[in-house]
């Protein structure tokens, strides 16, 4: 498959295509008329054994746009189904994306190298197969910020402007995102396999998922039950971590929920500024199905759809299988609560165990009261915890000034300080810099106009999020008043 490009010892595996041909359609990327690199993730490239200098050159760009691939590569569009806003679509799949193949991470584990915006595929339906520069850079920024926050996520390797024009509400410059993931298996992959009524395919898919993501399940008495339990646990943890940083995914359809437990598909996503569980950013989420505070429940709903797809593997008898699935899904809420409660406690600088088993009575109630006050005063979720650490060091004014009911907050503060919160520990878990919506919008708009400096500054801030640095003050500030009610659009 190589043309004129020289590929220095890059091997792109074809394991997915080989093991699951029913879920893979061999396909090639559309040619980018005038490829131009916008951003490259040098450290990630090196982790994957790719030379950043080479990737920046013409042969590297040929790889990053799918124009030419190493010998033996078998790029495919992946098939999957999905519930979108609750409605089932039996055939979604990579309409504008391609799995180029598998690379190895430094531990030898396979990771997918995948393109988004690489042209129409047989799954494109009415879509044009393309992506615009802005949304691909948004995915780059948010996924790398999530990674820096220690949250499992797909990574972004590069965004290349294609030179093509993309018609959305207006005409926009096109781009291809190269991303890296533990895999692109989704709840929707299992729904797709299940809908074929081919039990052997479903089993092969489950075996593939166990081997790649949850290998301990292979040794369990019931490997497929253990697989399901592991996905339930991984997603409970993931969504708890989203909640702890104020992340709103925006499109938690079952085709956007991974089996690995990584965050994926950063479309109309955004981070909370004011703490309010009803926050919705996506312009298409009119009912607030994917509001910040609904995410834990939606995760559970999606996992119930995964259980339905897996039923034939959970027990021979369907009623038994439903009982098994129900019991395993019952692990979701406690797993979520454990990670969320421990995470909140760390955000508030409180130790894991208080004397006399007072934890829940003291810390739990205190934290609930703080969240209520934060919601009432529309307190900036990220900024508050940094100011609270300052309050633990003796400077309470920045935190106090965020609240409308000062008497209530002062009362709360006195009771919190009595628990001896640890400001240094707070500094390690509460980020200074998140990809704030107004900064993301500014950086993307500048990039579309040819100025990449704001994007690089933003990336410098959010990829090192816990260390306050001079020169980055405005990256820690909330949006200016005139930024208004933020909406992200699904013209991705
Ligand atoms: P997403 O909302 O990005 O998760 O995509 C949902 C589904 O729509 C997936 O099957 C995508 O491949 C498909 N899709 C989204 N945008 C396009 C596009 N511009 N062209 C073709 N397919 C698309
Ligand atoms: Mg998607």
């Amino acid at each position: 498959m190589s043309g004129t490009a020289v590929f220095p010892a890059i091997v792109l595996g074809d394991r997915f295509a080989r093991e699951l041909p029913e879920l893979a359609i061999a396909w090639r990327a559309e040619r980018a008329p005038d490829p131009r690199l916008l951003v490259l993730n040098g450290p990630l490239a090196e982790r994957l054994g790719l030379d950043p200098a080479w990737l920046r050159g013409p042969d590297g760009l040929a790889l990053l746009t799918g124009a030419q691939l190493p010998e033996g590569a078998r790029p495919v569009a992946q098939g999957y189904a999905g519930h979108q806003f609750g409605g089932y679509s039996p055939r979604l799949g990579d309409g504008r994306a391609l799995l180029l193949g598998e690379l190895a991470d430094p531990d030898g584990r396979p990771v997918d190298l995948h393109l988004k915006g690489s042209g129409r595929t047989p799954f494109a339906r009415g879509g044009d197969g393309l992506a615009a520069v802005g949304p691909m850079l948004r995915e780059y920024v948010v996924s790398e910020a999530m990674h820096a926050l220690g949250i499992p996520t797909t990574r972004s390797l590069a965004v290349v402007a294609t030179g093509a024009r993309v018609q959305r509400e207006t005409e926009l410059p096109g781009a291809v995102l190269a991303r890296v993931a533990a895999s692109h298996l989704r709840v929707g992959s299992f729904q797709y396999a299940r809908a074929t009524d081919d039990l052997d395919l479903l089993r092969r898919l489950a075996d593939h998922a166990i081997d790649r993501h949850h290998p301990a399940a292979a040794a369990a008495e019931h490997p497929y039950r253990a697989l399901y339990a592991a996905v339930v646990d991984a997603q409970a943890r993931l969504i708890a971590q989203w909640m702890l940083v104020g992340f709103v995914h925006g499109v938690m359809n079952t085709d956007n929920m991974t089996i690995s437990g990584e965050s994926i598909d950063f479309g109309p996503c955004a981070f909370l500024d004011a703490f309010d569980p009803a926050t919705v950013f996506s312009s298409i989420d009119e009912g607030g199905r994917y509001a910040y505070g609904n995410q834990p429940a939606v995760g559970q709903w999606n996992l119930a759809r995964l259980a339905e797809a897996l039923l034939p593997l959970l027990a021979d008898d369907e009623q038994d299988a439903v009982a098994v699935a129900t019991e395993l899904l019952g692990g979701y809420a406690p797993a979520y609560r454990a990670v969320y409660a421990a995470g909140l406690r760390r955000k508030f600088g409180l130790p894991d165990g208080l004397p006399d088993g007072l934890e829940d009575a003291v810390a739990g109630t205190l934290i609930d009261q703080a969240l209520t006050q934060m919601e009432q005063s529309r307190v900036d979720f990220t900024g508050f915890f940094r100011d609270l650490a300052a309050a633990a060091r003796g400077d309470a004014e920045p935190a106090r000034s965020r609240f409308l009911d000062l008497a209530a907050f002062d009362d709360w503060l006195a009771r919190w300080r009595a628990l001896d919160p640890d400001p240094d520990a707070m500094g390690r878990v509460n980020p200074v810099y998140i990809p704030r919506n107004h900064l993301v919008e500014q950086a993307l708009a500048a990039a579309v106009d040819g100025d990449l400096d704001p994007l690089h500054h933003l990336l410098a801030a959010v990829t090192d999020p816990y260390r306050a640095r001079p020169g980055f003050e405005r990256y820690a500030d909330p949006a200016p008043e005139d930024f208004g009610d933020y909406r992200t659009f699904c013209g991705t």
Side-chain angles (χ1 to χ4, degrees), residues 80 84 92-96 124-125 127-130 168 256 265:
Y80 51 84
Q84 300 185 303
L92 292 170
D94 289 336
R96 55 163 173 176
R125 297 169 291 155
D128 61 8
L130 302 177
R168 294 291 181 261
N256 290 337
D265 273 2

